[in-house]
Amino acid sequence: MARKHTHQRRHRQASKTALLIVGEGPDDQAFIKHMHQLFRSDYSDVKPTIEKQSGGSPGNIITNATRKYGHLAFDQRFLVLDADVPPTQQDRDKASKYGYKIILWSPTCLEGALLEVLGERVIGHETAQQLKNRLHPRLAGNHTQPAAYAVLFPRAVLQASENISVNTVRNALAGQLI
């Protein structure tokens, strides 16, 4: 009897969509984990693995992610990168070859996207560092920790978001992007 129960449990777990989301750095990982915590019950058929790289060029991030996670079985793979240094066509082709879809935070970077979610204007000439300087002091803790995003970005704010990149990541977490 116990074997049957174990087999049924394995079968149910196997039916979940295995999802890999790799952020450009620890800030991306923290925010994506925060979003997953908020919406986890909505995505019960998705099992996400949320990882980070250590920044650098899009090419380096793509190369490192393909090496580090290439041997693991995932149904869907995403790279979430800042838009301030967009990946080249060669980078995009490499990501595609290894099964990754690329999502670019917009405008400019994660912090630009989040400021936009808050209804704040992001000016085209602002650098990623300037946007970080605007957002990070307002967070409820260290920007590399998921809990830091909880006060400014509760579920209702993220559900009402009109930022395409934030919504795309939310949809990826739900297994709604193919």
Side-chain angles (χ1 to χ4, degrees), residues 7-75:
H7 175 38
Q8 289 172 344
R9 185 179 307 139
R10 279 189 200 142
H11 180 66
R12 270 184 273 148
Q13 288 174 346
S15 66
K16 287 190 174 203
T17 300
L19 173 70
L20 174 65
I21 299 180
V22 180
E24 186 167 318
D27 296 27
D28 306 274
Q29 181 186 38
F31 176 73
I32 295 166
K33 282 185 174 185
H34 164 68
M35 196 164 19
H36 174 252
Q37 289 166 355
L38 291 177
F39 294 98
R40 176 178 21 224
S41 63
D42 295 353
Y43 312 145
S44 60
D45 59 338
V46 177
K47 182 179 186 282
T49 299
I50 302 166
E51 297 291 344
K52 68 180 179 332
Q53 290 297 298
S54 56
S57 73
N60 287 343
I61 293 166
I62 292 166
T63 297
N64 292 339
T66 58
R67 285 182 185 157
K68 188 170 183 179
Y69 309 109
H71 67 286
L72 301 173
F74 290 99
D75 299 311

Side-chain angles (χ1 to χ4, degrees), residues 84-133:
D84 60 343
V85 180
T88 65
Q89 188 58 51
Q90 183 179 359
D91 295 335
R92 288 179 179 278
D93 292 345
K94 183 174 188 175
S96 179
K97 176 182 174 184
Y98 288 94
Y100 287 90
K101 294 173 185 70
I102 296 176
I103 300 170
L104 297 177
W105 291 122
S106 180
T108 309
C109 59
L110 168 65
E111 291 77 9
L114 295 180
L115 288 166
E116 194 172 272
V117 166
L118 295 174
E120 296 187 21
R121 189 164 180 241
V122 176
I123 302 167
H125 68 273
E126 286 182 284
T127 65
Q129 189 58 53
Q130 289 171 321
L131 296 169
K132 289 175 191 299
N133 293 343

Side-chain angles (χ1 to χ4, degrees), residues 31 35 105-107 109-122 134-135 138 149 152-167 170:
F31 176 73
M35 196 164 19
W105 291 122
S106 180
C109 59
L110 168 65
E111 291 77 9
L114 295 180
L115 288 166
E116 194 172 272
V117 166
L118 295 174
E120 296 187 21
R121 189 164 180 241
V122 176
R134 281 178 57 190
L135 181 68
R138 299 166 57 187
Y149 297 88
L152 286 178
F153 303 99
R155 182 181 173 103
V157 168
L158 293 173
Q159 280 180 314
S161 168
E162 293 183 13
N163 180 278
I164 293 170
S165 56
V166 169
N167 294 347
R170 190 179 67 225

